[in-house]
Amino acid sequence: MRKYILLLFVLSYSYCFSQTNNLVHFTKGDRVCFVGNSITHSGQFHHNILLYYMTRFPDQQVTFFNCGVAGDITGGILKRMDDDILIHKPTYAVIMIGMNDVQRSLYGAKPSINPDTLSRRKGALITYQKNLEKIINIFLAKNIRVILQKPTIFDQTAILECPNNLGVNDALKNCADYLDVLATKYNLSIVDYWSIMNQINTDMQKVDRSATITGKDRVHPDATGHFVMAYQFLKTAKSPRYVSKIYISKKENRIAKNSQNCTIQSVVVKQNNATFQVKENALPFPTVSNQEKGLQLVPFTDELNIEMLQVSGLKKGNFKLSIDKKSIGSYTAEQLKEGINLAIYSSTPQYQQALNVREMLEQLWTKEIKLRGIKFVEDQSYYKNCPDKKNIQVIETYLDSVFTVKDTNPYFRSRLKEYIKDKSLEAEYIQQLDQYRTLAYRLAQPKYHTYVIEKE
């Protein structure tokens, strides 16, 4: 019941947060840099977006680049602009930044009236605004199209063990509002994550005060949050609702004219059975177990993942559907006439093919995160003073001494260990990204499937 009530809340507002602007679909040859901090570094939301593009537009090969660095701010983006972003020769730069720019340490469990603290908070926002506009102008000067993403929320309302920083989410709302100003000034596309996530969070906490769309650290969205983000991006872009529409009619020369995004052949429709072959130009989006809650929070399936099969002219009764001799389900003649969304059936050959695409991309993402880990270490100020950046033994000795002296937190130490292990394999990882990307697109290519509908 809780999930049902929550879904009603979401359905009531999901449309109003989809920006009606000039966000367009990426097309063949586009090179897209997702630029940001740790939320981009982890990659899940843009991984979902890439998977949608590969399965929905398998003939329009686009390349995504993860240009997120954990802990980054606008000033950091400016510093790594040439060697980490422009080096990819992007046609698009998709930017989300702000979570660290607001300087969360300036906020505590209680509101502050300290003039110095308030002044520093204001100064942080001013710096953010100035740097972000510089970033935009760099991209535009190089004819790189810019897509702005409003930052995700900081959960300052949930009852969690993690210490609260009251006011951070309000500061992020200020960042989000400023993006509207920049979008208008430069005629840029904009995706609003802050509003939809804040509303979902509010509705969740009406039922459970400890519920959160972010992780338990109040900052980083988990798989559910990233799924909601991908939904919002794709909805804002007015991405196609339908994978395909397969309409089979006994009356209309057996193939209804309103079939879409597919090729249908060898159709035979009788009262008690039907057979035909279909090659769809797309695959369904394959969700996995950690996205189930996201499917309850946003109408992703109804708005972005419909693979419609409709068959009319069958005699009343129950019918068994199989695709490529694989049993899919049993339906009445009326259900088949009204239409079945095949995208919700993981047993279809199309869904299984889409899962293969996902599995290949997961190998790509594993290498990608290793490359981002390398960049994370090399982006740190202490790394800049290393006496020999080409000798891995010198780097290890130097960085270990820095960590020992500074007593750096466990996360930094773990990153150092991974860096030493991965740095020597960096070139191999880069090469593997291209290989996995090519293989994923190859796996996504359409195939003919044989449909058989028989009366039970």
Side-chain angles (χ1 to χ4, degrees), residues 141-175:
K142 296 182 178 295
N143 295 317
I144 299 168
R145 300 189 67 171
V146 174
I147 297 174
L148 299 177
Q149 301 169 115
K150 294 188 178 183
T152 55
I153 65 168
F154 175 89
D155 192 339
Q156 61 188 31
T157 53
I159 299 176
L160 301 170
E161 292 183 5
C162 182
N164 203 349
N165 298 87
L166 192 63
V168 168
N169 201 40
D170 303 278
L172 290 170
K173 179 61 165 62
N174 288 333
C175 294

Side-chain angles (χ1 to χ4, degrees), residues 115-129:
D116 179 62
T117 299
L118 297 179
S119 176
R120 291 170 65 190
R121 291 178 182 176
K122 182 178 179 181
L125 289 173
I126 291 173
T127 299
Y128 168 81
Q129 293 173 2

Side-chain angles (χ1 to χ4, degrees), residues 177-194:
D177 290 342
Y178 184 66
L179 291 185
D180 285 325
V181 175
L182 293 176
T184 300
K185 181 176 180 179
Y186 293 101
N187 191 30
L188 303 178
S189 302
I190 186 168
V191 181
D192 186 356
Y193 298 136
W194 191 94

Side-chain angles (χ1 to χ4, degrees), residues 65-205:
F65 297 94
N66 186 335
C67 297
V69 170
D72 210 5
I73 57 177
T74 50
I77 292 174
L78 287 169
K79 291 178 181 178
R80 62 185 175 90
M81 178 66 72
D82 290 332
D83 66 346
D84 191 40
I85 303 169
L86 297 180
I87 192 173
H88 298 300
K89 299 180 180 179
T91 56
Y92 280 88
V94 187
I95 309 168
M96 181 173 62
I97 198 73
M99 184 63 73
N100 303 309
D101 291 82
V102 299
Q103 295 187 32
R104 297 193 303 276
S105 61
L106 295 175
Y107 300 80
K110 297 180 180 180
S112 175
I113 58 173
N114 183 287
D116 179 62
T117 299
L118 297 179
S119 176
R120 291 170 65 190
R121 291 178 182 176
K122 182 178 179 181
L125 289 173
I126 291 173
T127 299
Y128 168 81
Q129 293 173 2
K130 290 181 178 179
N131 284 343
L132 186 54
E133 189 160 16
K134 289 179 183 178
I135 292 167
I136 290 170
N137 278 304
I138 290 172
F139 289 133
L140 294 180
K142 296 182 178 295
N143 295 317
I144 299 168
R145 300 189 67 171
V146 174
I147 297 174
L148 299 177
Q149 301 169 115
K150 294 188 178 183
T152 55
I153 65 168
F154 175 89
D155 192 339
Q156 61 188 31
T157 53
I159 299 176
L160 301 170
E161 292 183 5
C162 182
N164 203 349
N165 298 87
L166 192 63
V168 168
N169 201 40
D170 303 278
L172 290 170
K173 179 61 165 62
N174 288 333
C175 294
D177 290 342
Y178 184 66
L179 291 185
D180 285 325
V181 175
L182 293 176
T184 300
K185 181 176 180 179
Y186 293 101
N187 191 30
L188 303 178
S189 302
I190 186 168
V191 181
D192 186 356
Y193 298 136
W194 191 94
S195 295
I196 188 171
M197 297 183 78
N198 197 63
Q199 187 63 60
I200 288 176
N201 220 44
T202 299
D203 291 339
M204 290 173 69
Q205 290 170 13

Side-chain angles (χ1 to χ4, degrees), residues 221-372:
D222 58 12
T224 299
H226 279 272
F227 185 80
V228 170
M229 293 167 68
Y231 160 82
Q232 185 68 355
F233 188 99
L234 294 168
K235 277 296 294 180
T236 303
K238 299 181 180 178
S239 301
R241 180 184 185 190
Y242 288 93
V243 176
S244 63
K245 291 183 181 180
I246 305 168
Y247 288 159
I248 304 295
S249 172
K250 186 177 181 181
K251 293 181 179 180
E252 300 176 17
N253 296 320
R254 295 177 180 165
I255 301 176
K257 295 179 181 178
N258 50 355
S259 293
Q260 294 180 16
N261 207 38
C262 62
T263 301
I264 306 174
Q265 65 181 23
S266 304
V267 178
V268 178
V269 181
K270 299 179 181 179
Q271 286 188 334
N272 293 325
N273 59 68
T275 62
F276 47 93
Q277 291 186 325
V278 181
K279 182 171 74 172
E280 299 164 272
N281 298 332
L283 297 172
F285 183 93
T287 55
V288 289
S289 58
N290 65 6
Q291 296 174 329
E292 291 178 358
K293 185 176 179 182
L295 289 169
Q296 297 163 8
L297 293 175
V298 292
F300 182 92
T301 299
D302 289 340
E303 296 183 359
L304 291 166
N305 200 30
I306 296 183
E307 186 182 13
M308 181 61 67
L309 170 65
Q310 285 185 278
V311 181
S312 64
L314 298 172
K315 189 176 181 179
K316 288 185 179 180
N318 294 324
F319 291 81
K320 177 183 176 181
L321 168 66
S322 64
I323 304 176
D324 296 344
K325 299 182 180 181
K326 172 71 175 179
S327 178
I328 306 304
S330 179
Y331 313 93
T332 66
E334 189 62 29
Q335 287 175 317
L336 288 165
K337 182 179 179 179
E338 291 180 357
I340 299 166
N341 182 9
L342 293 175
I344 67 174
Y345 294 93
S346 61
S347 58
T348 69
Q350 301 94 310
Y351 199 103
Q352 290 299 309
Q353 184 181 352
L355 282 175
N356 290 336
V357 175
R358 175 187 278 276
E359 289 173 3
M360 184 59 65
L361 286 177
E362 285 174 350
Q363 294 187 59
L364 184 154
W365 298 330
T366 297
K367 304 303 181 184
E368 176 190 82
I369 202 66
K370 290 182 177 294
L371 289 170
R372 297 322 296 165

